[in-house]
Amino acid sequence: RIRVTLRAESDEVMAFEHMGEPYFRVDWGENVVGLILDGRTDWTELGELLCDSYCLQAPTTLAEEVRARSAP
C-alpha cells in the first residue's frame, strides 16, 4: 500500500485522525497527516490536500500564487 504524508491545519489533523482509514496520523510532526492510496482514492481531494500542504510551508508570496491559481 502506498502512503502519502502531508501537512494540515491542527484542527484538520484531528478530523482526519477521527475519520479513520484511508487517513491516519503519523508519529512525527504535530501537523502531519497521512493518506493511504488505493482504488478508492479521490484524486481531486488529494490534489487539494497537497496544495494546502504546500501553502502551509511555502513562503507567503509563493503560497499566494498557488492559491490564486487554484481559486475557481
Side-chain angles (χ1 to χ4, degrees), residues 3-24:
R3 298 171 184 232
V4 173
T5 57
L6 46 98
R7 305 285 175 167
E9 298 287 347
S10 58
D11 58 333
E12 291 178 337
V13 172
M14 290 179 61
F16 287 128
E17 183 178 18
H18 289 294
M19 289 172 64
E21 200 167 315
Y23 303 100
F24 61 94

Side-chain angles (χ1 to χ4, degrees), residues 55 59-69:
C55 289
T60 304
T61 54
L62 293 177
E64 288 172 354
E65 281 186 44
V66 169
R67 287 188 182 108
R69 290 181 186 193

Side-chain angles (χ1 to χ4, degrees), residues 45-56:
E45 179 182 18
L46 176 59
E48 292 169 1
L49 292 171
L50 290 170
C51 182
D52 292 344
S53 177
Y54 174 80
C55 289
L56 285 173

Side-chain angles (χ1 to χ4, degrees), residues 14-51:
M14 290 179 61
F16 287 128
E17 183 178 18
H18 289 294
M19 289 172 64
E21 200 167 315
Y23 303 100
F24 61 94
R25 186 157 186 186
V26 298
D27 294 334
W28 52 272
E30 294 178 13
N31 67 340
V32 182
V33 67
L35 173 64
I36 298 169
L37 305 181
D38 60 19
R40 299 168 297 177
T41 299
D42 181 338
W43 297 102
T44 301
E45 179 182 18
L46 176 59
E48 292 169 1
L49 292 171
L50 290 170
C51 182

